[in-house]
């Protein structure tokens, strides 16, 4: 480190940006006991709802840091998606019927979500510092030196910059991407031609339900329309369409009502009390990396997403939660460099995948053309999932987000074992929930033991399955002994046949085999190590103790004596 560079720190982490993703990162750091400061240049919250939906997997992540329920209190729970293709209804999607405790999709509003998250930060002793902006930063081997200025409501700076020192900097400053550009990680967005979105939030009256538990999507010859609830009794109507003949300006209420009546084929549809009328065009792109040394990108700071499927903000929530537990572990000196290295590989790779998915969604919804439109109409007669496929994905709920190439993955199965366990979940996959029975006979689920095991906010859960073999306990006990030197690893015996002794680690009964089936565990006792964010890190047979120990040493360092 240069001799002139101070080594003292004002805080562990500085977050630049107080939108939903920056605020979630702050909540996650607070949950893990990390000292932080968060700055937002806006002096007031954004007045409009903007991004407004939370899918099942992001809800699982928000629940893991204790803030999901607060958001759910001011959100509508969506259970069904209705889709119309050129006026013809296709099979509705029972969106809530997924293998997650949070199947109903939450629809709220970005303004409401931001306010709720700010309240959660204050409840934990922190605060969002509004009217403050990072204007420069410089990193070295030990930390990051940051200059922060005060700004007024118009963004004008006043006074001298305040120098601050932190160990890590998180760029959550949205699409403007100051942090991204300063890191040399900017990208040239690709513009989508001949397409415009016109949108409003207003009170809706029509002949369909106005209950706030449904979504409606209408595919019509020139584009794609969505009708979605917004917190406070409003609905959002948007029209992604060919821009031929459409004025390049914000629409009027009368124009929106006219196109809504035409597309929904409901001449009684009436829109009143609009609170937001806007129009936009679309471009997309992804930063080549999400980390450079001690500076990280989260959410829109690293990507420019298309609105197909409402995936953008949800992807950013994965970023925020996934980065926070890594930083917390490293700041406590309990992990090797591979832990932070994995963030860029995982989240950068996922954003690249999502970008391609979003483009496909636009091809299906806006750029269909007559031939594709006819093909989709035929397919709708035989594919009940056509509604989700039109969105460019068969997993709107993000439950299949996985990290197959993560440096945190280790597969202890050999070629033969992989063939014999084809249904078993792989390293990088999301660890599913399943019902089990606690030692006192009460019903519980695996999620209760995967996230925050024994109150350890960034603990790792080792699920030791007996493979429904009564004589498996000896191998499982040895596996527990193998990880004893790493107290972040919390063992759980999942027993389909064996009976644990009173002195054994926490044992969960799985006599009905539901947990074994959820993980694809057959008749061979097996070990599954799960990360704090609920993704599988290691799998192997129960007697592969050396591989398990080597993995823990790679990630956590030498075992305690």
């Amino acid at each position: 480190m240069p001799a002139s560079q101070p080594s003292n720190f004002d805080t562990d982490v500085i977050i630049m940006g107080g939108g939903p993703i920056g605020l979630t990162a702050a909540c996650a750091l607070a949950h893990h006991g990390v000292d932080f400061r968060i700055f937002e240049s806006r002096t007031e919250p954004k007045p409009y709802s903007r991004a407004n939906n939370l899918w099942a997997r992001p809800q699982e992540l928000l629940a893991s840091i204790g803030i999901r329920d607060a958001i759910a209190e001011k959100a509508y729970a969506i259970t069904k998606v209705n889709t119309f293709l050129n006026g013809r209804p296709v099979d509705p999607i029972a969106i809530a019927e997924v293998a997650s405790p949070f199947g109903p999709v939450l629809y709220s509003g970005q303004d409401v979500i931001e306010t709720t998250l700010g309240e959660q930060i204050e409840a934990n002793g922190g605060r969002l510092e509004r009217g403050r902006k990072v204007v420069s930063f410089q990193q070295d081997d030990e930390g990051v030196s940051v200059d922060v200025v005060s700004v007024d409501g118009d963004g004008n700076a006043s006074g001298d910059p305040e120098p601050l020192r932190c160990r890590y900097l998180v760029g959550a400053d949205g699409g403007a991407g100051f942090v991204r550009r300063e890191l040399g990680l900017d990208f040239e967005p690709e513009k989508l031609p001949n397409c415009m979105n016109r949108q409003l939030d207003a009170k809706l009256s029509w002949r369909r339900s106005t209950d706030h538990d449904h979504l409606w999507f209408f595919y019509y010859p020139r584009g794609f329309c969505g009708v979605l609830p917004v917190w406070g009794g409003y609905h959002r109507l948007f029209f992604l369409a060919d821009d031929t003949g459409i004025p390049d300006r914000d629409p009027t209420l009368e124009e929106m009502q006219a196109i809504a009546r035409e597309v929904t084929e409901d001449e009684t549809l009436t829109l009143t009390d609009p609170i937001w009328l806007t129009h936009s065009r679309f471009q997309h792109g992804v930063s080549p990396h999400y980390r450079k040394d001690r500076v990280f990108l989260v959410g829109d700071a690293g990507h420019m997403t298309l609105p197909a499927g409402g995936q953008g903000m949800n992807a950013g929530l994965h970023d925020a939660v996934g980065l926070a537990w890594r930083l917390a572990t490293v700041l406590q000196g309990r992990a090797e460099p591979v832990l932070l290295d994995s963030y860029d590989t995982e989240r950068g790779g996922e954003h690249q995948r999502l970008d391609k998915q979003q483009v496909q969604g636009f091809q299906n919804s806006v750029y269909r053309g007559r031939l594709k439109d006819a093909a989709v109409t035929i397919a709708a007669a035989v594919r009940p999932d056509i509604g989700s496929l039109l969105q460019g994905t068969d997993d709107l709920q993000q439950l299949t987000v996985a990290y197959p190439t993560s440096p945190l993955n280790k597969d202890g199965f050999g070629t033969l074992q992989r063939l014999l366990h084809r249904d078993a979940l792989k390293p990088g996959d999301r660890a599913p929930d399943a019902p089990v029975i606690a030692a006192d006979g009460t019903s519980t689920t695996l999620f209760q033991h995967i996230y925050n095991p024994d109150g350890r906010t960034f603990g790792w859960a080792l699920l030791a399955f007996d493979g429904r073999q009564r004589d498996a306990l000896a191998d499982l006990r040895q596996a527990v002994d193998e990880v004893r030197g790493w107290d972040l690893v919390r063992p759980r015996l999942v027993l389909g046949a064996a009976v644990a002794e009173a002195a054994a680690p926490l044992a969960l009964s799985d006599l009905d085999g539901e947990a074994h089936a959820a993980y694809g565990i057959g008749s061979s006792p097996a070990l599954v190590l799960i990360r704090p964010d609920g993704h599988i890190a290691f799998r192997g047979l129960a007697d592969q103790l050396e591989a398990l120990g080597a993995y823990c040493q790679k990630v956590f360092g030498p075992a305690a004596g």
Side-chain angles (χ1 to χ4, degrees), residues 23 27 113-123 126-128:
L23 291 167
C27 288
I113 293 171
E114 287 187 9
T115 299
T116 302
L117 292 175
E119 292 169 351
Q120 293 297 302
I121 292 173
E122 292 181 2
R127 70 183 180 94
L128 171 63

Side-chain angles (χ1 to χ4, degrees), residues 316-490:
L317 297 174
H318 288 255
D319 298 344
V321 176
L323 177 59
W325 67 265
R326 288 173 166 87
L327 290 175
T329 312
V330 169
L331 285 166
Q332 284 201 5
R334 309 181 77 174
E336 296 295 291
V338 66
L339 197 65
L340 286 183
D341 293 342
S342 66
Y343 175 76
D344 182 24
T345 302
E346 292 183 5
R347 295 308 303 155
E350 171 59 19
H351 282 293
Q352 294 286 347
R353 184 201 67 80
L354 178 62
D355 183 62
K356 294 177 182 178
Q357 174 185 296
Q358 299 288 77
V359 172
Q360 182 61 54
F362 258 67
Q363 293 294 335
N364 291 341
S365 59
V366 179
Y367 299 114
R368 297 194 309 276
R370 291 184 178 181
L371 290 178
K372 180 177 282 189
D373 215 24
V376 170
T377 301
I378 295 171
V382 295
R383 290 294 303 266
D385 58 349
I386 191 69
S388 58
L389 292 176
L390 283 168
Q391 297 276 337
T393 175
D394 58 358
D395 177 31
L396 290 171
Q397 294 275 38
Q398 295 193 341
L399 294 171
T400 58
V401 170
Y403 309 119
T405 63
S406 173
L408 293 184
N409 293 349
K410 175 62 177 177
D411 193 349
F413 284 4
T415 302
L416 178 59
Q417 292 153 353
R418 290 172 188 166
L419 290 173
L420 294 175
H421 298 82
R422 290 179 179 176
D423 295 332
L425 295 175
K426 302 175 181 62
D429 289 344
R430 163 188 170 268
D433 199 10
V436 287
I437 304 298
D440 63 1
T442 59
S443 296
T444 183
T445 73
L446 289 181
F447 272 14
Q448 301 301 313
H449 303 279
I450 290 174
Y451 297 104
N452 303 317
D454 294 349
R456 308 298 284 272
T457 65
F458 45 89
W460 295 52
L462 176 65
L463 301 184
F465 293 87
D466 70 354
R468 296 184 285 277
Q469 302 296 319
R470 291 184 178 276
D471 59 353
L473 275 180
D475 284 342
L476 301 189
R477 280 196 301 266
Q478 288 183 333
V480 170
D481 289 340
E482 183 68 24
V483 300
R484 202 175 299 279
W486 296 281
D487 71 344
L488 286 182
V489 180
R490 317 301 289 171

Side-chain angles (χ1 to χ4, degrees), residues 114-145:
E114 287 187 9
T115 299
T116 302
L117 292 175
E119 292 169 351
Q120 293 297 302
I121 292 173
E122 292 181 2
N124 284 293
R127 70 183 180 94
L128 171 63
E129 300 182 47
R130 288 196 174 277
R132 303 272 279 160
K133 181 179 181 180
V134 173
V135 293
S136 68
F137 60 88
Q138 183 176 4
Q139 54 180 322
D140 53 73
D141 291 342
E142 293 186 12
V144 188
S145 298

